[in-house]
């Protein structure tokens, strides 16, 4: 079995020699002096050659001007087909494009913005699949007043992980310094349903998490049972007057200093 070889035609010499024509085309698109030295050429096909020039613009380091020239069959005149700026090795490129749904981050939604959820969102399931102990809930849904979709098991798990690892979870400096956990606080309002044992809402208006969902093992200094320690009594520093002095009256002793008798040992 013989292998078929693809015929590679030699670059057209007239197109190869049209370096000045290609440079003038690049200069028309760029600012004066930005197209630099000729970096070489590449044959694109029959009578089609692309010339490359260095880009001297400081905003496009590593890029290069690519000007493709060609000529018609049996024609002597070479013309410019297209001229573009292409990235070379080490060029600074923009990040890969992502759809808006993947670029969206918490807090990006503003006033008046709409964030539609897709039909196949794995965080949601049809509303009739919700299991609730309230018997009136099913009756309300049958009348068409219930929610069309509710949280799925995946949605609940993602929310629980996000809340527990966030700033209202146990791994924050304020929770480490708290006197006790939120689960033992009188202002802790547990959530209903399957998240009741893990999360609740803070109802203390003086707490930093008032009105927010907090983990049961979160905590802060506004705990309902936080004890106030009595102020410690500091002893007053004694005051010493080392500048003044008192006059002391000299008391008479038992020895008569006027006597001339020498005192000594007998």
């Amino acid at each position: 079995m013989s292998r078929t070889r693809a015929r590679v035609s030699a670059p057209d010499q007239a197109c190869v020699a049209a370096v000045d024509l290609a440079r003038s085309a690049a200069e028309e698109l760029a600012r004066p002096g930005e197209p630099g030295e000729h970096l070489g050429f590449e044959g694109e096909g029959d009578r089609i050659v692309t010339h490359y020039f260095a880009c001297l613009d400081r905003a496009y380091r590593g890029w290069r001007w690519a000007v493709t020239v060609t000529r018609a069959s049996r024609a002597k005149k070479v013309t410019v087909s297209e001229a573009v700026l292409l990235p070379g090795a080490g060029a600074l490129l923009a990040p890969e494009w992502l759809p808006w749904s993947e670029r969206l981050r918490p807090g990006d939604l503003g006033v008046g913005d709409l964030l539609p959820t897709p039909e196949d969102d794995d965080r949601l399931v049809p509303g009739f699949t919700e299991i609730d102990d309230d018997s009136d809930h099913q009756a309300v849904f049958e009348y068409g007043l219930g929610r069309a979709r509710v949280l799925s098991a995946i949605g609940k798990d993602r929310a629980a992980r996000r809340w527990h690892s966030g700033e209202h979870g146990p791994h924050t400096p304020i929770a480490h310094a708290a006197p006790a956990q939120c689960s033992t606080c009188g202002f802790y309002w547990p959530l209903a349903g399957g998240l009741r044992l893990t999360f609740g809402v803070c109802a203390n208006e003086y707490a930093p998490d008032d009105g927010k969902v907090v983990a049961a093992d979160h905590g802060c200094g506004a705990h309902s049972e936080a004890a106030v320690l009595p102020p410690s009594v500091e002893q007053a520093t004694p005051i010493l007057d080392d500048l003044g002095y008192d006059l002391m009256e000299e008391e008479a002793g038992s020895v008569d200093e006027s006597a001339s008798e020498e005192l000594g040992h007998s």
Side-chain angles (χ1 to χ4, degrees):
M1 181 178 181
S2 60
R3 179 177 299 177
T4 304
R5 295 184 179 181
R7 176 178 175 272
V8 179
S9 59
D12 184 79
Q13 294 303 314
C15 294
V16 172
V19 177
D20 295 338
L21 176 64
R23 180 183 294 276
S24 63
E27 291 177 347
E28 291 181 2
L29 298 177
R31 289 179 292 186
E34 286 185 357
E37 61 177 334
H38 184 242
L39 301 178
F41 65 90
E42 182 180 358
E44 303 288 352
D46 293 339
R47 298 179 300 279
I48 302 176
V49 173
T50 299
H51 292 274
Y52 297 99
F53 300 90
C55 180
L56 302 181
D57 190 345
R58 291 180 297 176
Y60 289 89
R61 292 181 179 179
W63 290 64
R64 55 184 181 172
W65 288 101
V67 181
T68 302
V69 296
T70 184
R71 69 181 181 89
S73 177
R74 299 182 181 180
K76 296 182 179 180
K77 184 178 180 180
V78 178
T79 59
V80 176
S81 176
E82 61 177 350
V84 295
L85 189 61
L86 298 178
L92 180 62
L93 301 176
E96 184 180 357
W97 182 86
L98 294 175
W100 68 267
S101 58
E102 298 182 19
R103 298 195 307 267
L104 194 65
R105 292 294 180 268
D108 291 347
L109 196 66
V111 178
D113 295 339
L114 297 178
L115 181 60
T117 54
E119 293 293 336
D120 57 348
D121 195 328
D122 57 359
R123 299 172 301 171
L124 300 172
V125 292
F128 61 80
T129 61
E130 183 180 19
I131 300 176
D132 200 331
D133 295 336
D134 189 0
S135 58
D136 295 335
H137 177 82
Q138 183 64 27
V140 170
F141 184 83
E142 290 177 355
Y143 284 108
L145 301 179
R147 293 177 293 169
R149 290 189 291 178
V150 295
L151 274 176
S152 65
I154 296 178
K156 294 179 181 179
D157 182 69
R158 290 181 182 176
R161 291 177 181 269
R162 186 172 61 253
W163 294 346
H164 196 265
S165 61
E167 59 181 2
H168 306 301
H171 309 298
T172 57
I174 192 172
H176 292 167
Q181 296 182 352
C182 291
S183 59
T184 61
C185 180
F187 298 104
Y188 180 74
W189 193 348
L191 294 181
L195 299 178
R196 178 181 180 86
L197 300 179
T198 312
F199 297 98
V201 178
C202 178
N204 188 347
E205 59 181 318
Y206 301 108
D209 301 322
D210 179 41
K212 300 177 181 179
V213 175
V214 295
D217 48 357
H218 182 62
C220 71
H223 195 280
S224 62
E225 310 306 323
V228 179
L229 299 178
S232 59
V233 179
E234 298 182 358
Q235 295 182 354
T237 304
I239 301 176
L240 301 178
D241 186 3
D242 54 357
L243 297 179
Y245 59 91
D246 296 331
L247 295 177
M248 306 295 294
E249 295 183 1
E250 185 178 359
E251 298 180 356
S254 61
V255 180
D256 187 4
E257 295 180 355
S258 62
S260 58
E261 182 181 1
E262 295 184 359
L263 301 177
H265 296 284
S266 56

